[in-house]
Amino acid sequence: MIDFHSHFLPGIDDGSENVSMSLSMLNAWSIQGIDTVVASPHFYATRNNPERFLRNREAAYNAVREAMSRYRPSNGGNWPDIMLGAEVYFFNGISRYEGLHDLCLEGTDLLLLEMPFTPWTSRMIDEVSIIASTTGIMPVAAHIERYLNQPKSLVNAFLDLDIYIQSNAEFFLERGTSRKALKMLKKGVVTFLGSDAHNMGSRSVNIGPALQVISKSLGQDFVDDLTARQYDIIEQFKSNYF
Ligand SMILES: [Fe+2]
């Protein structure tokens, strides 16, 4: 299983505060049996630029890698593989943004896109559609569960787009939303899962418990098939851009 959404790189956003916290988070993924973790620090075009972002991400990644080479996970297993990405916050004009490809998941055309938390408009949905159809980039919409209170017609239009959808582990773990989460996963609306982990406290690595809920309800075969599908999509969207 891939954790497609996380903030474990140290000191780059509101996620992990230092290398030691990053290692604890990676240890949690290892214990939870996660093979691959996508590092997706926040990217806000109003406050950052791709060049600076990539430079900072590389430095944070190198610091973590150096520490990973000196320690082993507490269960004696392996560290998960790391793929570098970004969680890019939507803005008007994003479909024409020059640096967008640089923010895709490394080596692919997949872009983890964070939709606005302000009221949605049909223009926003149209612009996501334009990204998918004209830029060669495939959006993966982050934590869809946070937008289900947006106007129903816009949510439906969004879900009808030819893009991928990610949901957070907590969607499956909260009593009030678990049933809905399982339904969306079973129907194939949701393809990627993420912990969206920021730390070892209130926003910790919780994808393992979510997988237990999914496996219990839909079966381990479903989880295995989903994992295979996730890797297939990454393979399918390998980029010629880089
Ligand atoms: Fe996030």
Side-chain angles (χ1 to χ4, degrees):
M1 176 60 59
I2 300 172
D3 188 330
F4 204 80
H5 185 160
S6 75
H7 302 267
F8 75 90
L9 291 182
I12 188 168
D13 62 3
D14 59 342
S16 172
E17 290 164 17
N18 50 51
V19 171
S20 151
M21 187 184 287
S22 303
L23 272 197
S24 296
M25 294 170 78
L26 286 162
N27 194 52
W29 275 300
S30 182
I31 290 169
Q32 292 174 26
I34 302 303
D35 317 300
T36 303
V37 180
V38 172
S40 52
H42 290 287
F43 178 85
Y44 302 101
T46 48
R47 303 182 216 156
N48 209 339
N49 62 65
E51 198 182 335
R52 178 155 39 114
F53 174 84
L54 295 182
R55 202 167 51 234
N56 290 341
R57 189 184 67 180
E58 187 69 20
Y61 175 64
N62 287 341
V64 169
R65 278 247 78 102
E66 195 275 323
M68 286 168 77
S69 69
R70 286 188 285 120
Y71 297 96
R72 302 298 313 161
S74 61
N75 62 358
N78 295 317
W79 295 117
D81 290 335
I82 296 171
M83 292 187 79
L84 298 176
E87 179 181 14
V88 179
Y89 194 71
F90 178 92
F91 56 95
N92 285 329
I94 186 173
S95 61
R96 298 183 303 278
Y97 191 60
E98 283 221 3
L100 205 54
H101 236 124
D102 295 322
L103 301 170
C104 285
L105 178 64
E106 60 172 335
T108 79
D109 297 317
L110 297 166
L111 182 80
L112 185 63
L113 178 66
E114 182 175 39
M115 290 298 285
F117 297 106
T118 54
W120 281 8
T121 63
S122 55
R123 195 180 146 186
M124 292 172 186
I125 312 295
D126 289 346
E127 184 145 22
V128 177
S129 174
I130 289 168
I131 296 175
S133 58
T134 68
T135 64
I137 288 171
M138 172 55 75
V140 178
H143 40 55
I144 190 66
E145 66 279 359
R146 296 207 195 159
Y147 307 102
L148 298 180
N149 58 354
Q150 293 283 351
K152 203 164 185 218
S153 61
L154 294 177
V155 172
N156 287 339
F158 189 70
L159 294 177
D160 279 345
L161 295 177
D162 194 12
I163 64 172
Y164 291 108
I165 303 288
Q166 179 259 316
S167 73
N168 281 0
E170 66 188 19
F171 193 28
F172 295 86
L173 294 172
E174 282 172 13
R175 196 188 277 251
T177 61
S178 180
R179 190 181 297 220
K180 171 113 184 147
L182 288 165
K183 197 170 157 194
M184 289 177 74
L185 188 67
K186 193 175 175 189
K187 279 172 70 179
V189 177
V190 167
T191 305
F192 289 102
L193 305 177
S195 60
D196 201 356
H198 282 61
N199 51 50
M200 287 296 289
S202 58
R203 303 187 71 184
S204 66
V205 176
N206 58 357
I207 190 159
L211 289 176
Q212 282 173 9
V213 169
I214 295 165
S215 170
K216 197 169 162 201
S217 174
L218 305 178
Q220 186 56 39
D221 284 353
F222 183 95
V223 175
D224 293 344
D225 289 350
L226 181 66
T227 303
R229 181 160 150 68
Q230 293 169 346
Y231 283 110
D232 281 351
I233 292 168
I234 287 176
E235 192 63 31
Q236 183 189 341
F237 283 92
K238 279 230 163 105
S239 181
N240 295 322
Y241 174 81
F242 295 91

